[in-house]
Amino acid sequence: MTTEPDDAALVREAARRGLAGQLAFETLVDRHQQWLVRLLTHLLGNQSDAEDVAQDAFVRAFLAIESCGDGSRFRGWLRVIARRLAFNHRRDARARAHYEEQSGVPMPHANESMTGRLGERDLLKQVLGELAYPYREIMVLRFVEELPLKDIADLLEIGESAAKMRLTRARAEFQREYEKRGGGRGDTRPA
Amino acid sequence: MVTPDQLESDWLHGVFEVLREELVSLAADFGERVKHEIDQVAAVEAVRPPSAVALLASVAVETGNMAGSLLTPAPATDDSTDEEDK
């Protein structure tokens, strides 16, 4: 029986470059694509953009793999890259939307839903998607990615107290909207 | 003791569970697209080892050298003697 190499081993191999390095990196792609696209879908609001940004993130990670350092933290390192790219992507998309709005070009509303349970999930996504971006981002990092506050602060490049304040506000905003639209605590909580 | 803050977080963790457990149905060719892109970048950025190109180049040089040595007339014995004398 063969055991799968862990991320640290794959990152080391990838950093050695060559065909073997490329194959090692491709294993990392297989291993991390699911959560990365999911994270980006929640941040960007649609899966198509999320896949584009995820692809970009993987390519950049591949080119800079030597700077990953501790390979066992590959996921966190990739998350930092993806988060920056998502931010830029969103900024560019907003600029495009603004231009299209100015020039009267109708914009398609991109909001693909992912497969699975409807209802509560859709409401959750809707409310999340309508939060101001910094609030949405911190909610996703805290409650979907389940990162501790310290890691969130590092990722967002802000102090821990600033992260806590942002999270408190985001939570309040989310809760207000969620409950206003019928999402509740008792009966909506998954069993 | 559980703080109200903690209760809020617990509640939200419960609500968000559906998103944490969600499996994104990736485009069928997503992984292949990423790998293709990486392959292209690896070739362009020369992050791949000297591999095929360098191997062919070195073979060409060697072949050239061999052909050259076969076609070039043998050096005059005087010269070689001089070299050896030195």
Coordinates of all heavy atoms in Angstrom, one line a residue, chain A residues 92-126:
Chain A
D92 N -11.5 45.2 -10.2 CA -11.6 45.3 -11.6 C -13.0 45.1 -12.1 O -13.5 45.8 -13.0 CB -10.7 44.3 -12.3 CG -9.2 44.5 -12.0 OD1 -8.9 45.6 -11.4 OD2 -8.4 43.6 -12.2
A93 N -13.7 44.2 -11.5 CA -15.1 43.9 -12.0 C -16.0 45.1 -11.7 O -16.9 45.5 -12.4 CB -15.6 42.7 -11.3
R94 N -15.7 45.7 -10.5 CA -16.5 46.9 -10.2 C -16.2 48.1 -11.1 O -17.2 48.8 -11.5 CB -16.2 47.4 -8.8 CG -16.9 46.5 -7.7 CD -16.5 46.9 -6.3 NE -17.0 48.3 -6.0 CZ -16.6 48.9 -4.9 NH1 -15.8 48.4 -4.1 NH2 -17.1 50.1 -4.6
A95 N -15.0 48.2 -11.5 CA -14.6 49.2 -12.5 C -15.3 49.0 -13.8 O -15.8 49.9 -14.4 CB -13.1 49.3 -12.6
R96 N -15.3 47.7 -14.2 CA -16.0 47.4 -15.5 C -17.5 47.6 -15.4 O -18.1 48.2 -16.3 CB -15.8 45.9 -15.7 CG -14.7 45.6 -16.7 CD -14.8 44.2 -17.3 NE -15.1 43.1 -16.3 CZ -14.2 42.5 -15.5 NH1 -13.0 42.8 -15.7 NH2 -14.6 41.6 -14.7
A97 N -18.1 47.3 -14.2 CA -19.5 47.5 -14.0 C -19.9 48.9 -14.1 O -20.9 49.3 -14.7 CB -19.9 46.8 -12.7
H98 N -19.0 49.7 -13.5 CA -19.2 51.2 -13.4 C -19.2 51.7 -14.9 O -20.0 52.5 -15.3 CB -18.2 51.8 -12.6 CG -18.3 53.3 -12.5 ND1 -19.3 53.9 -11.8 CD2 -17.6 54.3 -13.1 CE1 -19.2 55.2 -12.0 NE2 -18.2 55.5 -12.7
Y99 N -18.2 51.2 -15.6 CA -18.1 51.7 -17.0 C -19.3 51.3 -17.8 O -19.8 52.1 -18.6 CB -16.8 51.1 -17.6 CG -16.7 51.3 -19.1 CD1 -16.3 52.5 -19.7 CD2 -17.1 50.2 -20.0 CE1 -16.3 52.7 -21.0 CE2 -17.0 50.4 -21.4 CZ -16.6 51.7 -21.9 OH -16.6 51.9 -23.2
E100 N -19.7 50.0 -17.6 CA -20.9 49.6 -18.4 C -22.2 50.3 -18.0 O -23.0 50.6 -18.8 CB -21.1 48.1 -18.2 CG -20.0 47.3 -19.0 CD -19.9 45.8 -18.6 OE1 -20.6 45.4 -17.6 OE2 -19.2 45.1 -19.2
E101 N -22.2 50.6 -16.7 CA -23.4 51.4 -16.3 C -23.4 52.8 -16.9 O -24.4 53.2 -17.4 CB -23.3 51.5 -14.7 CG -24.6 51.8 -14.1 CD -24.4 51.8 -12.6 OE1 -24.3 50.7 -12.0 OE2 -24.3 52.9 -12.0
Q102 N -22.2 53.4 -17.0 CA -22.1 54.7 -17.6 C -22.4 54.7 -19.1 O -23.0 55.6 -19.6 CB -20.7 55.2 -17.4 CG -20.2 55.4 -16.0 CD -20.9 56.6 -15.4 OE1 -20.9 57.7 -15.9 NE2 -21.5 56.5 -14.2
S103 N -22.0 53.6 -19.7 CA -22.2 53.5 -21.2 C -23.5 52.8 -21.5 O -23.8 52.6 -22.7 CB -21.0 52.8 -21.8 OG -20.9 51.5 -21.2
G104 N -24.3 52.5 -20.5 CA -25.6 51.9 -20.8 C -25.7 50.5 -21.3 O -26.7 50.0 -21.8
V105 N -24.6 49.8 -21.1 CA -24.6 48.4 -21.5 C -25.2 47.6 -20.4 O -24.8 47.7 -19.2 CB -23.1 47.9 -21.7 CG1 -23.1 46.4 -22.1 CG2 -22.4 48.7 -22.7
P106 N -26.2 46.8 -20.7 CA -26.9 46.0 -19.6 C -25.9 44.9 -19.1 O -25.2 44.3 -19.9 CB -28.1 45.4 -20.3 CG -27.8 45.4 -21.7 CD -26.8 46.5 -22.0
M107 N -25.9 44.8 -17.8 CA -25.0 43.8 -17.2 C -25.8 42.6 -16.7 O -26.8 42.7 -16.1 CB -24.4 44.4 -15.9 CG -23.3 45.4 -16.2 SD -22.5 45.8 -14.6 CE -24.0 46.2 -13.6
P108 N -25.3 41.4 -17.1 CA -25.9 40.2 -16.6 C -25.6 40.1 -15.1 O -24.6 40.4 -14.6 CB -25.2 39.1 -17.4 CG -23.9 39.6 -17.8 CD -24.1 41.1 -17.9
H109 N -26.6 39.6 -14.4 CA -26.4 39.5 -12.9 C -25.9 38.1 -12.7 O -26.6 37.1 -12.8 CB -27.7 39.7 -12.2 CG -27.6 39.6 -10.7 ND1 -26.9 40.6 -10.0 CD2 -28.0 38.8 -9.8 CE1 -26.9 40.3 -8.7 NE2 -27.5 39.2 -8.6
A110 N -24.6 38.0 -12.4 CA -24.0 36.7 -12.2 C -24.2 36.2 -10.8 O -23.7 36.8 -9.8 CB -22.5 36.8 -12.5
N111 N -24.9 35.2 -10.6 CA -25.1 34.7 -9.3 C -25.5 33.2 -9.4 O -26.6 32.8 -9.1 CB -26.2 35.5 -8.5 CG -25.9 35.4 -7.0 OD1 -25.0 34.6 -6.6 ND2 -26.7 36.1 -6.2
E112 N -24.5 32.4 -9.8 CA -24.8 31.0 -10.0 C -25.0 30.4 -8.6 O -24.3 30.7 -7.7 CB -23.7 30.3 -10.7 CG -23.4 30.9 -12.1 CD -22.1 30.4 -12.7 OE1 -21.5 29.5 -12.1 OE2 -21.7 30.9 -13.7
S113 N -25.9 29.4 -8.6 CA -26.0 28.7 -7.3 C -25.3 27.4 -7.4 O -25.2 26.8 -8.5 CB -27.4 28.5 -6.9 OG -28.0 27.6 -7.8
M114 N -24.7 27.0 -6.3 CA -24.0 25.7 -6.3 C -25.1 24.6 -6.0 O -26.2 24.8 -5.6 CB -23.0 25.7 -5.2 CG -21.9 26.6 -5.5 SD -20.5 26.6 -4.4 CE -21.1 27.8 -3.2
T115 N -24.7 23.4 -6.3 CA -25.6 22.3 -6.2 C -25.9 22.0 -4.8 O -25.2 22.3 -3.9 CB -25.0 21.0 -6.8 OG1 -23.8 20.8 -6.1 CG2 -24.7 21.2 -8.3
G116 N -27.0 21.4 -4.5 CA -27.3 20.9 -3.2 C -28.6 21.5 -2.6 O -29.5 21.9 -3.4
R117 N -28.7 21.5 -1.3 CA -29.9 21.9 -0.7 C -30.3 23.4 -1.0 O -29.4 24.2 -1.0 CB -29.7 21.8 0.8 CG -30.9 21.4 1.6 CD -30.6 20.9 2.9 NE -30.4 22.0 3.8 CZ -29.8 21.9 5.0 NH1 -29.3 20.8 5.4 NH2 -29.8 22.9 5.9
L118 N -31.6 23.6 -1.2 CA -32.0 25.0 -1.5 C -32.6 25.6 -0.2 O -32.6 25.0 0.9 CB -33.0 25.0 -2.6 CG -32.5 24.4 -3.9 CD1 -33.6 24.4 -5.0 CD2 -31.3 25.3 -4.5
G119 N -33.2 26.8 -0.3 CA -33.9 27.4 0.8 C -33.0 28.1 1.7 O -32.4 29.1 1.4
E120 N -32.7 27.5 2.8 CA -31.9 28.1 3.9 C -30.5 28.4 3.3 O -30.0 29.5 3.6 CB -31.7 27.1 5.0 CG -30.9 27.6 6.2 CD -30.6 26.4 7.1 OE1 -31.3 25.5 7.2 OE2 -29.6 26.6 7.8
R121 N -30.0 27.5 2.5 CA -28.7 27.8 2.0 C -28.7 29.0 1.0 O -27.7 29.8 1.1 CB -28.2 26.5 1.2 CG -26.9 26.7 0.5 CD -26.4 25.4 -0.2 NE -26.3 24.3 0.8 CZ -25.9 23.1 0.4 NH1 -25.6 22.8 -0.8 NH2 -25.7 22.2 1.3
D122 N -29.7 29.0 0.2 CA -29.8 30.2 -0.7 C -29.9 31.5 0.0 O -29.3 32.5 -0.4 CB -30.9 30.0 -1.7 CG -30.6 29.0 -2.8 OD1 -29.4 28.6 -2.8 OD2 -31.5 28.6 -3.6
L123 N -30.7 31.5 1.1 CA -30.9 32.7 1.9 C -29.6 33.1 2.5 O -29.2 34.3 2.4 CB -31.9 32.4 3.0 CG -32.1 33.6 4.0 CD1 -32.7 34.8 3.3 CD2 -33.1 33.1 5.1
L124 N -28.9 32.1 3.0 CA -27.6 32.4 3.6 C -26.6 33.0 2.6 O -26.0 34.0 2.9 CB -27.0 31.0 4.1 CG -25.7 31.0 4.8 CD1 -25.7 31.9 6.0 CD2 -25.4 29.5 5.3
K125 N -26.6 32.4 1.4 CA -25.7 33.0 0.4 C -26.1 34.4 -0.1 O -25.3 35.2 -0.4 CB -25.7 32.0 -0.9 CG -24.9 30.8 -0.6 CD -25.0 30.0 -1.9 CE -24.3 28.6 -1.7 NZ -24.4 27.8 -2.9
Q126 N -27.4 34.5 -0.1 CA -27.9 35.8 -0.6 C -27.5 36.9 0.4 O -27.0 38.0 0.0 CB -29.5 35.8 -0.7 CG -30.1 36.9 -1.4 CD -31.6 36.9 -1.5 OE1 -32.2 36.2 -0.6 NE2 -32.2 37.5 -2.5

